[in-house]
Amino acid sequence: MIITVGGLPGTGTTTTSKLLSEKYGLNHVCAGFIFRDMAKEMNMTLQEFSSYAETNTEVDNEIDRRQVEAAQSGDLILEGRLAGWILKRSDIKPDLSIWLKADPMVRCIRISERENENVDLALEKMISRETSEKKRYKEIYNIEIDDLSIYDLTIESSKWDAKGVFNIIEKAIDNLKA
């Protein structure tokens, strides 16, 4: 089984992916973790590395390569804003493709709590990061991140806690046509 989970920062993609991985015994591959690891390898902050990635397409190419390689093995949760798009363009059909969304201020509060930082600073960083990513996705892939047409299931994650979001997805998985 291959499941993609995408969403903007603070929507709960990592929490949801971990819960799904545990429940279904699937590997969890996260594009964001790959991106963070690459930033650390280059001794850059996420903001610095995002700016660097805007003019160095090899960053995205490497993240994409690792995602496709993992998906070819099957049995995984592939988490990332472009995970669904990357598999579609590689002719790999996930069993379920999910997009989580939430109100921007809800996301900002979640991020500030997770990162243990001031809400205003978290909002500033969130906007900067999303602007950078949106630009990269359009320039490199010609993808509008707001185009949700490829997803089987879109969930407004600010309406439910993590368990509630998980329960919705679990029902969808249990009702997939064999």
Side-chain angles (χ1 to χ4, degrees):
M1 180 168 21
I2 298 174
I3 299 171
T4 69
V5 179
L8 296 175
T11 57
T13 59
T14 300
T15 300
T16 299
S17 296
K18 286 178 180 176
L19 291 170
L20 290 169
S21 174
E22 290 168 13
K23 165 73 179 190
Y24 295 100
L26 302 172
N27 291 324
H28 175 207
V29 174
C30 175
F33 294 164
I34 296 168
F35 189 85
R36 281 178 168 82
D37 289 344
M38 291 171 72
K40 284 179 188 172
E41 289 166 13
M42 296 190 68
N43 296 314
M44 293 183 182
T45 67
L46 282 180
Q47 287 174 308
E48 291 168 341
F49 195 62
S50 289
S51 295
Y52 174 80
E54 284 179 14
T55 57
N56 294 278
T57 58
E58 71 271 6
V59 171
D60 288 285
N61 292 336
E62 178 60 16
I63 293 168
D64 300 345
R65 185 192 68 72
R66 292 182 192 187
Q67 289 181 93
V68 169
E69 184 178 284
Q72 288 171 334
S73 314
D75 291 330
L76 86 149
I77 305 294
L78 186 58
E79 176 195 353
R81 275 178 274 302
L82 294 183
W85 287 101
I86 298 304
L87 293 192
K88 179 179 175 65
R89 290 181 174 198
S90 299
D91 292 324
I92 298 172
K93 176 79 173 108
D95 296 280
L96 184 63
S97 194
I98 303 160
W99 183 262
L100 301 181
K101 61 183 186 168
D103 178 88
M105 281 313 294
V106 169
R107 296 186 303 108
C108 178
I109 291 167
R110 289 175 179 172
I111 292 168
S112 76
E113 290 171 356
R114 180 183 70 209
E115 302 296 326
N116 196 27
E117 63 189 12
N118 174 286
V119 173
D120 292 331
L121 179 59
L123 180 61
E124 181 183 319
K125 286 181 174 180
M126 184 181 88
I127 291 169
S128 173
R129 180 177 174 189
E130 289 175 17
T131 302
S132 172
E133 289 175 347
K134 190 170 192 167
K135 179 182 179 196
R136 279 192 2 256
Y137 301 157
K138 182 66 177 163
E139 289 175 358
I140 296 170
Y141 303 100
N142 197 29
I143 291 173
E144 294 287 345
I145 196 67
D146 301 326
D147 178 2
L148 307 180
S149 64
I150 67 161
Y151 299 98
D152 303 309
L153 183 61
T154 303
I155 301 172
E156 171 56 62
S157 69
S158 55
K159 292 187 184 244
W160 295 275
D161 63 9
K163 182 70 173 152
V165 171
F166 172 79
N167 288 340
I168 293 167
I169 297 169
E170 182 180 39
K171 288 288 184 199
I173 292 169
D174 292 347
N175 286 286
L176 282 173
K177 294 180 182 174

